[in-house]
Amino acid sequence: MVPHGHEISTARTLRRTALCPLDRVRDDFFLHLSLAKFPRKVNSQQFALPVVRTELRQKSHKGVHLEYLAKFLDDKRGKAQWNVPNETQTDQQEQSVA
């Protein structure tokens, strides 16, 4: 049982845990994009990141659900792994050049 006066609304809890604020996503993963350019790219769907609003109002907080953010980052990681040569390939290439 939660003590009186310490109730936390579901929306507030979700906003703190399941949703990562859009500005935080930009700061942590897209710092190379300006504050103005990042939302434009997200809104034009250049990134596969669905944006969630906490309310219907236009000025409401925007965020990305952590599950979608994790999937986006995992997809990027998977693609990056295929483009990076492993150490054995690098060693063999260096030996063949020498």
Side-chain angles (χ1 to χ4, degrees):
M1 178 140 196
V2 178
H4 180 68
H6 293 277
E7 298 90 3
I8 298 175
S9 71
T10 303
R12 189 169 153 192
T13 302
L14 287 174
R15 192 167 62 230
R16 287 186 177 177
T17 57
L19 284 181
C20 189
L22 202 55
D23 57 341
R24 178 81 187 265
V25 172
R26 183 229 163 239
D27 290 347
D28 289 350
F29 302 105
F30 300 97
L31 198 54
H32 62 286
L33 296 175
S34 70
L35 288 171
K37 194 173 212 175
F38 178 67
R40 280 199 308 262
K41 285 189 172 252
V42 170
N43 291 334
S44 67
Q45 299 176 347
Q46 289 183 10
F47 296 125
L49 287 172
V51 175
V52 177
R53 288 182 186 262
T54 56
E55 297 176 17
L56 295 176
R57 297 180 305 148
Q58 209 169 14
K59 291 186 177 183
S60 65
H61 293 283
K62 296 177 189 173
V64 176
H65 193 280
L66 292 179
E67 187 176 331
Y68 296 132
L69 181 59
K71 183 178 178 349
F72 176 82
L73 295 173
D74 285 345
D75 290 348
K76 291 293 184 187
R77 180 185 59 86
K79 289 177 185 176
Q81 285 179 335
W82 291 107
N83 295 328
V84 177
N86 62 35
E87 291 180 25
T88 306
Q89 290 173 333
T90 306
D91 291 342
Q92 290 173 352
Q93 289 173 351
E94 289 175 0
Q95 289 174 358
S96 66
V97 172

